[in-house]
Amino acid sequence: MEIKAALTGNPNCGKTTLFNALTGSKQRVGNWPGVTVEKKEGTYKNDPSILIQDLPGIYSLSPYSLEEVVARSYLVQEHPDVILDVVDTSNLERNLYLTTQLLELDIPVVVGLNMMDIVEDKIDLKKLARWLNAPVVEVSALKKQGLESLMKQVKNESAKKEQKPFLFSRSIEDAIGSIQRLLPETKQTRWYALKVLENDSRILEELSLSKTDQQKITKLREAIENEFDDDIESILTAQRYDFIEKLIQDCVKRKRTKHAMSVSDRIDSIVTNRFLALPIFVLIMYGIYTIAMGSTPFSIGTIGTDWANDVLFGETIPGMMGSVIQYFHINPILASLLKDGIVAGVGATLGFVPQILVLFVFLSILEDCGYMARVAFIMDRLFRKFGLSGKSFIPLLVATGCGVPGIMASRTIEQDRDRKLTIMTTGFIPCGAKMPIIGLFAGAIFGNSSLVATSAFVIGIAAVVVSGIMLKKFKAFAGEPAPFVMELPAYHFPSLSNVLHSTWERGFSFIKRAGTLILLSSIVLWFLQSFGFVNGAFAFVDDNNNSLLALLGRSLAWIFYPLGWVGDMAWKATVATFTGLIAKEEVVNTFGVLYNFGGELSEAGNEIWTLVAADFSAITAYSFMLFNLLCAPCFAAMGAIKREMNNAKWTWISIGYMCVFAYSISLIVYQLGGLLLHEVPFNFFTVVALVLLVGILYLLFRKGYSEDKSNISVKDFSLNKVRS
C-alpha cells in the first residue's frame, strides 16, 4: 500500500536537499494544477511504496502567498498519510511556528531536525518529542545522515492518529472542543475548529453552519477576546509563541553566551555590511565571470569553449561530416544543409556550453552555501529605496538561469502592481540563453574581457532599478512595495550532488533547446540564406547577399540605422535580432550560419570572430549587445508573461516597454558614446539621443503619482504580518 508523505518546512531549511537525498533520481517535476508554483514528487529510493510530495517552502499555513495557499490546500484537501516537517535547528524558534500549525491538522507529523551539525546548543530530543507529541529525528540532509531512521518513523506514523498537544490556554482549548462538536462529522477536526474560531471566511462559507451555531461561535470568540483584550488571531499567534518559548526553555541548553557571535554572524557582519555588501557582491560576480568567460589562464569556461570550437566543432565534427558526405556522394545542396546549416548553426551555439556550465556551477554553489539568500537581503535594502519590492529579487535571481521560471516566480508577490512591475523588468536580467551573445562579442571585439561580461550583468540590474524608479511614478504602479520576509540560513559547505543537479537542470535546458528549437531554426535559416533570386530566377545562391534572408533583413534594417547598424552588416544584425525572438541563443546561431557560409569554423570560431570584428566597431558591438540583452525576450518568455499577466493589454505593454527601453538605451550609447569617442559625427539622431536622455532623467527625478489616501481600500493596506 502506497504511503503519501508531505514534505514541508520553511524556505532555506534544507528541504530541497533532503528531498533530493531521499528520492535520488526517482523524482518528477511539474506545476501544481492551475498555478505555476513548482511541484516536485518522487518515491523514496529505498522503499518505492513511500511517495514524497515536496510542498513549497512556507513560513506558515496562513494564506498570505500563493505558496502558502498551495501547501494549505494540499494538506487539507488531499490529506496525506503523514507530514514530514523539516526544521532548521539553527533557527529553532522561527521554524517551530509552522510546526505548531501542522500539529493542528488531523494528520500524523514527523519532525526532522536538520542542520544539527552546525548547532552549538544541546537539544533534548526526548523532551522535545514529548512537548510536540510527535516523533523527532536528528538528520543531516547535506551529509545524508539519519535518513533511514527518519523514513522508518514516517512509515510507522502513517498508520497512527495521536492526540495533539495542547498549545493554547484552557479557555481556548475548551472553545475549540465546543466548536468541533458543532461542525459536520467529516469536518470535526482541530484545524477546522480553529479556522472557525479565527473567523476564516472561506472556511465558514465551506461549512455552511446554521445561524444558531454561528451565534454560539460568535459568543465563544467574543468571550476569548474580552478575556485577553485582543483580537482572536493575535491571541492565537501569541499563545503559539508562548508554547514555543516554554518548549525551548525546557528542551534546549544554550552553549553560547547570549552575546556570542556564530561563524555565520561574523561572516554576515562583513558580507551584509551597509557599505561593503554591494562591492563584495560585484567582486564575486566579476570573479565568477572571469573564471567562466574571461581570458585569463584560469578562465576554465573559456578554455572549454575554445576546445569545443577549435576541436569538436572546428575539426572533429566537420571532418566526420565531410567524410560522410564524400563517402555517400551526398547532393551538394544537402551537403550544404548539413555542414553550413546544422553543424555551423547549432555548433556556434553549443560551443558556448562549457562557459555556461561553469557559470551555472558557481551560481549553484552560491545558492547552496547560503550566500544568495544574503544577496536577496542586500538587494531588498537597495530595491526598497527605489520603490521596488524586495521580493522582486527572487524572480530576478531565478532569471539568471532562465527568464521563463523567473517570470513565473513573480507569483510569490502578493500586490498586483509590484507583480506587474517585476514581470516587466525580469527580462532585463542576462539569462543563460543570452550568455552566448556576450561571449561572442567579448571574444570577437573585446579580447575576452571579463569587464564586458560583468557589465552585462550590472546593466541588467541597472535597467531593473531605473525602470522601477520611472514606472513607480505612474498611477498603475504607485504605492509602497510589499514587505519582504526571508530566513537567512546558516552558512554551510555546498552539497556536491545539489550543485551538480542544479547545474544539470539549467544546462540541459540550454542543450535541449539547441537540439530542438535551434536545430529547426538553423534549417530554416539555412534555406533563407541559401536560396534567393538571381537574374529574376529563384535558385541556390553562392553569395548570401543575394539570399531571401538578405532581402528580408534589408527591408527592415532601416529601423536600426540610428543604432549604428549600417553597411553590409546591417541586414545580418537585423536578422540575428529577429531570430533572437525565437530563442536568444539564435543570435549567435544566425551569425554562425551567415558568417560561415561556404566554409567551416576552424579555431575557436576564429573565422566568425574575424568577420564579426570586421563588421562591428567597439561602440556598434556594444550597441547591438545592449539591444539584444534588453529587448523583448524569447517566445517562451513572452508566453510566460502572457500567462502571468493574464491580460492581453498588459502583455503587449510589457513587451512594448522592453523594446522601447532597449532601443532608447542603445541609441543613447551609440550616438553619445560614439560622439565622445569621435566615431560618430554630430547628427539628427544625436539630438534624439540627448532628448531621450533628458526624458529618462526627468522620469527618474520627477514627482510621482500621489494616491488619494481617503479613497484607498483596506485591501491596499493588507500587508503581511511579520512572522518572526
Side-chain angles (χ1 to χ4, degrees):
M1 185 174 110
E2 187 178 66
I3 298 171
K4 290 184 179 180
L7 188 63
T8 64
N10 287 187
N12 299 312
C13 69
K15 185 169 61 67
T16 300
T17 305
L18 181 62
F19 177 74
N20 292 337
L22 292 173
T23 60
S25 60
K26 299 179 180 180
Q27 54 183 259
R28 299 174 293 281
V29 180
N31 288 330
W32 291 91
V35 297
T36 51
V37 175
E38 190 175 70
K39 174 183 181 181
K40 289 184 178 180
E41 63 180 18
T43 55
Y44 177 40
K45 58 185 180 182
N46 294 339
D47 188 347
S49 69
I50 302 177
L51 175 68
I52 303 172
Q53 184 76 66
D54 185 20
L55 301 184
I58 56 175
Y59 289 107
S60 80
L61 291 179
S62 303
Y64 289 112
S65 67
L66 184 61
E67 280 83 0
E68 290 169 344
V69 171
V70 166
R72 184 171 112 164
S73 298
Y74 177 81
L75 292 172
V76 174
Q77 296 172 11
E78 299 296 327
H79 205 279
D81 300 300
V82 63
I83 296 173
L84 175 50
D85 178 32
V86 185
V87 171
D88 175 4
T89 319
S90 65
N91 201 346
L92 195 59
E93 294 92 335
R94 169 59 262 169
N95 281 240
L96 285 177
Y97 185 84
L98 174 62
T99 304
T100 62
Q101 290 188 316
L102 296 173
L103 291 171
E104 293 162 2
L105 295 165
D106 191 30
I107 304 171
V109 175
V110 175
V111 178
L113 289 185
N114 194 26
M115 304 186 191
M116 284 284 286
D117 51 322
I118 64 172
V119 176
E120 297 179 14
D121 302 329
K122 185 177 180 181
I123 301 174
D124 191 323
L125 300 184
K126 292 182 179 179
K127 280 187 178 181
L128 182 58
R130 285 198 297 269
W131 271 89
L132 300 176
N133 201 12
V136 178
V137 181
E138 179 182 335
V139 298
S140 174
L142 193 63
K143 297 179 180 179
K144 298 182 179 179
Q145 295 175 350
L147 303 188
E148 290 186 13
S149 299
L150 181 70
M151 297 311 293
K152 182 179 179 181
Q153 288 291 351
V154 166
K155 199 165 186 177
N156 292 340
E157 291 299 307
S158 64
K160 294 182 180 179
K161 256 190 184 180
E162 294 194 23
Q163 176 67 42
K164 300 299 180 182
F166 291 107
L167 304 176
F168 307 109
S169 66
R170 174 57 60 183
S171 58
I172 295 178
E173 292 290 350
D174 289 343
I176 292 171
S178 299
I179 293 173
Q180 277 184 275
R181 290 189 288 272
L182 298 175
L183 301 180
E185 187 176 348
T186 58
K187 307 292 185 181
Q188 289 182 357
T189 66
R190 182 180 177 84
W191 185 83
Y192 269 101
L194 271 165
K195 292 296 112 182
V196 171
L197 184 61
E198 290 176 357
N199 204 25
D200 189 311
S201 57
R202 280 177 290 188
I203 298 300
L204 289 171
E205 185 178 346
E206 178 187 341
L207 295 173
S208 301
L209 298 171
S210 68
K211 190 173 181 180
T212 303
D213 288 342
Q214 289 184 39
Q215 290 174 345
K216 291 178 182 178
I217 293 167
T218 300
K219 288 181 180 180
L220 288 170
R221 187 184 304 117
E222 289 175 350
I224 293 170
E225 290 180 339
N226 290 334
E227 178 185 350
F228 293 95
D229 192 25
D230 205 345
D231 66 273
I232 190 67
E233 188 174 357
S234 298
I235 294 168
L236 295 176
T237 299
Q239 294 207 3
R240 285 192 183 100
Y241 278 118
D242 287 343
F243 174 83
I244 293 170
E245 184 179 355
K246 293 174 183 175
L247 178 154
I248 295 295
Q249 289 176 353
D250 188 40
C251 302
V252 181
K253 184 177 181 181
R254 304 291 187 186
K255 285 191 176 182
R256 290 187 286 116
T257 61
K258 186 176 180 180
H259 300 288
M261 291 180 68
S262 67
V263 174
S264 285
D265 291 336
R266 289 195 290 271
I267 296 173
D268 281 341
S269 67
I270 299 173
V271 301
T272 63
N273 179 274
R274 184 179 299 275
F275 303 105
L276 298 177
L278 281 176
I280 290 173
F281 175 56
V282 171
L283 285 174
I284 288 174
M285 295 309 298
Y286 175 77
I288 288 174
Y289 276 103
T290 297
I291 296 172
M293 310 183 76
S295 57
T296 65
F298 51 84
S299 297
I300 56 177
T302 302
I303 294 171
T305 288
D306 288 345
W307 175 84
N309 286 326
D310 293 353
V311 180
L312 189 61
F313 295 108
E315 298 176 0
T316 306
I317 294 180
M320 292 172 59
M321 187 63 66
S323 299
V324 170
I325 290 170
Q326 185 177 6
Y327 182 82
F328 289 101
H329 304 290
I330 294 175
N331 180 279
I333 294 179
L334 179 57
S336 175
L337 167 62
L338 295 173
K339 291 177 61 179
D340 305 323
I342 295 175
V343 173
V346 176
T349 302
L350 288 181
F352 291 97
V353 166
Q355 288 180 325
I356 290 168
L357 290 180
V358 171
L359 177 64
F360 286 164
V361 164
F362 280 100
L363 290 177
S364 298
I365 289 173
L366 292 182
E367 289 174 4
D368 204 47
C369 74
Y371 178 69
M372 277 306 187
R374 271 75 180 176
V375 175
F377 167 74
I378 294 164
M379 299 308 292
D380 171 59
R381 193 162 57 195
L382 175 66
F383 276 22
R384 293 185 71 81
K385 291 182 179 179
F386 299 116
L388 292 166
S389 168
K391 285 192 173 182
S392 298
F393 184 72
I394 303 302
L396 299 179
L397 180 62
V398 174
T400 59
C402 178
V404 174
I407 292 167
M408 289 162 54
S410 64
R411 283 209 170 188
T412 60
I413 302 173
E414 298 88 352
Q415 290 174 307
D416 184 62
R417 57 176 178 258
D418 292 341
R419 187 171 54 81
K420 284 178 179 175
L421 182 56
T422 302
I423 291 171
M424 290 178 66
T425 55
T426 296
F428 290 143
I429 299 298
C431 65
K434 295 176 182 177
M435 291 299 108
I437 303 174
I438 300 169
L440 174 65
F441 284 96
I445 309 296
F446 300 103
N448 278 326
S449 171
S450 300
L451 287 174
V452 173
T454 306
S455 70
F457 186 84
V458 173
I459 286 169
I461 294 289
V464 172
V465 172
V466 169
S467 296
I469 296 172
M470 292 193 302
L471 295 176
K472 269 289 182 180
K473 305 291 178 68
F474 292 92
K475 181 179 178 180
F477 304 101
E480 287 297 316
F484 178 42
V485 180
M486 168 175 262
E487 199 75 58
L488 293 182
Y491 288 102
H492 57 270
F493 285 103
S495 163
L496 179 62
S497 60
N498 283 352
V499 171
L500 294 178
H501 188 266
S502 177
T503 302
W504 172 249
E505 279 189 342
R506 292 170 170 175
F508 181 69
S509 175
F510 179 88
I511 296 169
K512 185 169 64 175
R513 284 156 68 102
T516 54
L517 186 62
I518 294 176
L519 174 62
L520 178 62
S521 58
S522 293
I523 295 172
V524 173
L525 280 173
W526 169 84
F527 174 79
L528 291 175
Q529 66 91 39
S530 297
F531 290 87
F533 293 93
V534 180
N535 298 324
F538 182 75
F540 188 83
V541 296
D542 294 324
D543 184 356
N544 59 18
N545 284 288
N546 298 322
S547 67
L548 294 172
L549 199 59
L551 181 65
L552 179 64
R554 289 191 182 99
S555 66
L556 299 171
W558 60 272
I559 298 172
F560 301 102
Y561 287 165
L563 307 188
W565 308 4
V566 294
D568 185 54
M569 58 79 70
W571 72 267
K572 297 176 182 177
T574 301
V575 168
T577 296
F578 278 98
T579 56
L581 297 177
I582 300 172
K584 289 301 177 181
E585 308 96 314
E586 277 298 300
V587 173
V588 176
N589 170 38
T590 301
F591 281 133
V593 172
L594 295 179
Y595 282 115
N596 196 48
F597 177 73
E600 296 178 359
L601 288 172
S602 54
E603 299 177 358
N606 286 342
E607 291 184 13
I608 293 180
W609 285 12
T610 301
L611 294 171
V612 169
D615 279 347
F616 289 84
S617 67
I619 194 69
T620 55
Y622 211 78
S623 167
F624 177 88
M625 191 172 69
L626 276 180
F627 183 81
N628 280 276
L629 292 179
L630 299 176
C631 74
C634 64
F635 286 155
M638 289 186 200
I641 291 174
K642 184 177 183 300
R643 287 193 301 272
E644 298 308 312
M645 286 293 192
N646 199 27
N647 183 294
K649 182 185 79 170
W650 275 104
T651 300
W652 287 113
I653 288 174
S654 301
I655 295 170
Y657 173 76
M658 284 186 276
C659 290
V660 170
F661 184 83
Y663 194 94
S664 300
I665 298 300
S666 297
L667 178 64
I668 291 170
V669 167
Y670 174 73
Q671 293 294 336
L672 301 186
L675 188 66
L676 292 174
L677 295 172
H678 306 290
E679 292 186 21
V680 179
F682 188 89
N683 61 87
F684 170 75
F685 290 107
T686 307
V687 178
V688 174
L690 285 169
V691 171
L692 287 172
L693 181 60
V694 171
I696 290 174
L697 292 174
Y698 168 73
L699 291 173
L700 283 173
F701 295 105
R702 79 182 181 99
K703 186 177 179 180
Y705 172 79
S706 180
E707 293 177 312
D708 182 357
K709 304 294 183 183
S710 62
N711 293 326
I712 299 177
S713 67
V714 175
K715 183 180 178 182
D716 293 321
F717 282 106
S718 59
L719 303 179
N720 279 5
K721 294 193 173 183
V722 179
R723 293 156 282 167
S724 60

